[in-house]
Amino acid sequence: ASDYMVREGTPIEGNWVQSSPHDGNGAPINPVTGVTVTAGYNTTVVFGNYCTYPAPGRTPGFWSNKNGLDQLMDGGTLAPEFTRLSNLHLVDATGGAFDPLTFPQFHDWLLASTATNMAYKLSSHLAAMRLNVEAGFVNGNRIYAPFGGTVNQLMALADNSLASDPFTPAGHPERAYQEQLKDYLDALNNGAPLVSPHACARTFATN
């Protein structure tokens, strides 16, 4: 038997991510060393990879301005979009239920959002993402790698958390969890990439 080192080529394109193997700190292991090969037998080394593509999410700020209003009005009325938002468990600064009825009301609610009540800040990003998916800016069935699930699954967890804990000030046991969900949604609303369901182009430098 002999020991070998196996290295995976890294594409020039920066949207490829090695997902396995990882070390204890989550850093990719490449090359894999100490691979023992015995004459007459196969030894398998598996590298996992995925590629990402830009998902042009729009921020709460976008949805509060004229461009956002134009997008909301694409069907001639705000009613369908506001109904979808009212079906969520959105809350305001005090943890009270928020169901948008008019654009000025929605505009003010988005822009006033702070993290004093983390559920309010989470609500504003959940609302923006729900509208991003509705508008086709973001595909809700695609996986967001840092979260480890789909955008729709992320929104469902956020909505469930808001339903059970609408007021999460400093010291609240659910605050950190809501902040993590908020951070995921915030990144996606700012255009964070999603995992592509298809292999992306890849080229390799030649030595």
Side-chain angles (χ1 to χ4, degrees), residues 28-54:
I29 298 172
N30 187 23
V32 174
T33 57
V35 178
T36 301
V37 179
T38 303
Y41 293 88
N42 293 329
T43 299
T44 302
V45 178
V46 177
F47 291 94
N49 300 273
Y50 64 87
C51 61
T52 62
Y53 71 97

Side-chain angles (χ1 to χ4, degrees), residues 47-128:
F47 291 94
N49 300 273
Y50 64 87
C51 61
T52 62
Y53 71 97
R58 306 295 202 274
T59 64
F62 169 86
W63 290 109
S64 72
N65 68 29
K66 182 182 183 302
N67 293 326
L69 175 59
D70 290 345
Q71 183 67 48
L72 289 168
M73 291 291 290
D74 60 352
T77 171
L78 293 166
E81 287 82 359
F82 279 3
T83 296
R84 288 182 179 88
L85 294 181
S86 294
N87 287 335
L88 299 172
H89 296 87
L90 304 177
V91 299
D92 60 19
T94 65
F98 175 75
D99 297 314
L101 298 173
T102 68
F103 186 75
Q105 175 204 24
F106 182 54
H107 165 279
D108 292 349
W109 176 81
L110 280 175
L111 292 188
S113 174
T114 71
T116 305
N117 172 19
M118 188 58 70
Y120 183 15
K121 181 57 76 174
L122 176 59
S123 290
S124 67
H125 281 289
L126 175 58

Side-chain angles (χ1 to χ4, degrees), residues 17 19 50-52 142-150 184 188 193-195:
V17 180
S19 54
Y50 64 87
C51 61
T52 62
R142 297 287 177 260
I143 291 171
Y144 179 49
F147 166 60
T150 68
Y184 289 143
L188 288 165
L194 294 170
V195 176

